[in-house]
Amino acid sequence: NRFFRETITQNTLPTFFIHGTGDRFVPMTMFEENLAATQGIKKGLIVAKAPHLSSSVYEPENYYSSIFEFLEENCPAVKTISD
């Protein structure tokens, strides 16, 4: 989507990207391009063999701990359950 690609280059907010290598809907190249394009603090998580929208099922502990860690480090106003 051209609109998304144009706007993501203007993003300066912290962004966490998640991609499963078994995703047949969103190609890995799109994950890589979006990660590179955003201007804010960014981090990516790649989950082996996970299809589209299934990363939390394939690696739930890694999925959630990675998200909470990113939020704690980059979004100080966000409180997690551990607080």
Side-chain angles (χ1 to χ4, degrees):
N1 178 318
R2 195 180 90 202
F3 174 75
F4 181 76
R5 289 185 191 267
E6 289 174 0
T7 57
I8 197 166
T9 60
Q10 299 171 22
N11 177 56
T12 59
L13 298 172
T15 307
F16 190 76
F17 294 92
I18 303 168
H19 188 72
T21 60
D23 192 332
R24 298 168 94 189
F25 182 71
V26 177
M28 179 63 97
T29 55
M30 186 177 289
F31 166 83
E32 294 164 344
E33 290 170 3
N34 290 338
L35 187 64
T38 189
Q39 301 302 304
I41 296 167
K42 54 195 163 192
K43 186 173 182 179
L45 172 65
I46 298 172
V47 179
K49 300 181 183 178
H52 191 69
L53 299 175
S54 299
S55 295
S56 65
V57 175
Y58 277 66
E59 292 185 17
E61 188 173 322
N62 186 26
Y63 178 88
Y64 289 108
S65 65
S66 296
I67 292 171
F68 291 141
E69 179 182 306
F70 182 81
L71 291 173
E72 289 171 354
E73 291 175 0
N74 301 293
C75 306
V78 174
K79 297 289 183 187
T80 63
I81 295 171
S82 64
D83 290 341

